[in-house]
Amino acid sequence: MGVTEDAAGPWLIAGLGNPGPGYAMNRHNVGFMVVDLLAERMGGRFKRAAKAQAQVVEGRIGPPGPGSRRVVLVKPMSYMNLSGGPVNALREFYKVPPQRVVAVHDELDIDYGTLRLKLGGGDNGHNGLKSLTGAFGRDYHRVRFGIGRPPGRMPVADYVLKDFSSAERKELDYFVDRAADAVECLVTEGLERAQSAYNS
């Protein structure tokens, strides 16, 4: 990926979650946690987007110089099930093709803290992904952050809207940091390199 491709426009990195302090530490909000860390690394602060129901930060990630990439970090403020509208509005505003969109989200079918990166695919019952796919198709990148399955007979909806457990929180900062590294690697070095480094 050279400088000329970067000159074509930014990458859009959408962390999926629900707005408001009551949801902040929920498993379903790990996408917000990852883009918050990316914003911190860039020295940026989220601001309300003029063009969509979302908060955004614009900046660059990666090493200084030609290896860095322009990015727009996005937190939809529409609630998870309606994420597609705000993300698509910003995608159109910044003229970003779906292949340069990265969705960072929780994933039930992967063990806690495990990452999987891929391009395209189904939504696996994830309402945020379902909304994105309905808005602009399935050909976008996903950084899937494993949260594991609910214990016993706990309903999935209850599980994803619960905070990470005290045991999980001991490692959460490390796993969020690693997920942010994976996003940076994907954008600056490509999917294949990121998969070999971070898919576990």
Side-chain angles (χ1 to χ4, degrees):
M1 226 183 288
V3 184
T4 51
E5 187 172 341
D6 186 45
W11 284 73
L12 199 68
I13 301 169
L16 301 187
N18 289 307
Y23 296 101
M25 289 304 296
N26 287 182
R27 293 182 178 93
H28 223 20
N29 268 44
V30 74
F32 275 17
M33 297 174 199
V34 174
V35 293
D36 280 340
L37 179 56
L38 287 167
E40 192 180 306
R41 289 181 180 183
M42 292 187 334
R45 299 184 68 170
F46 278 97
K47 296 180 294 196
R48 177 171 290 184
K51 303 294 180 182
Q53 191 181 357
Q55 292 183 353
V56 296
V57 178
E58 295 182 47
R60 301 188 78 88
I61 60 177
S68 71
R69 296 283 175 266
R70 286 177 59 210
V71 297
V72 180
L73 306 178
V74 180
K75 293 197 294 187
M77 293 286 113
S78 56
Y79 291 95
M80 180 69 84
N81 297 5
L82 301 172
S83 301
V87 173
N88 195 44
L90 290 165
R91 188 188 69 78
E92 290 179 343
F93 175 71
Y94 288 101
K95 300 179 171 57
V96 179
Q99 296 81 4
R100 290 168 76 93
V101 175
V102 181
V104 186
H105 64 92
D106 59 304
E107 178 61 63
L108 285 161
D109 288 336
I110 303 175
D111 290 340
Y112 174 59
T114 300
L115 296 177
R116 293 273 193 282
L117 287 77
K118 68 175 188 172
L119 173 62
D123 57 56
N124 203 23
H126 193 290
N127 289 327
L129 297 183
K130 196 177 294 182
S131 183
L132 295 188
T133 298
F136 54 87
R138 62 179 61 196
D139 295 329
Y140 55 92
H141 288 85
R142 298 103 189 276
V143 174
R144 305 157 71 203
F145 186 109
I147 60 169
R149 301 293 305 185
R153 297 185 178 184
M154 183 188 291
V156 164
D158 292 347
Y159 177 70
V160 299
L161 293 176
K162 281 194 182 305
D163 288 359
F164 284 102
S165 69
S166 54
E168 288 169 332
R169 281 201 294 272
K170 289 175 184 171
E171 294 183 292
L172 183 60
D173 286 348
Y174 168 75
F175 288 140
V176 168
D177 192 68
R178 190 165 181 271
D181 289 346
V183 172
E184 290 187 349
C185 184
L186 168 62
V187 170
T188 59
E189 301 185 52
L191 178 61
E192 203 171 306
R193 181 71 178 269
Q195 284 174 325
S196 70
Y198 293 98
N199 277 13
S200 46

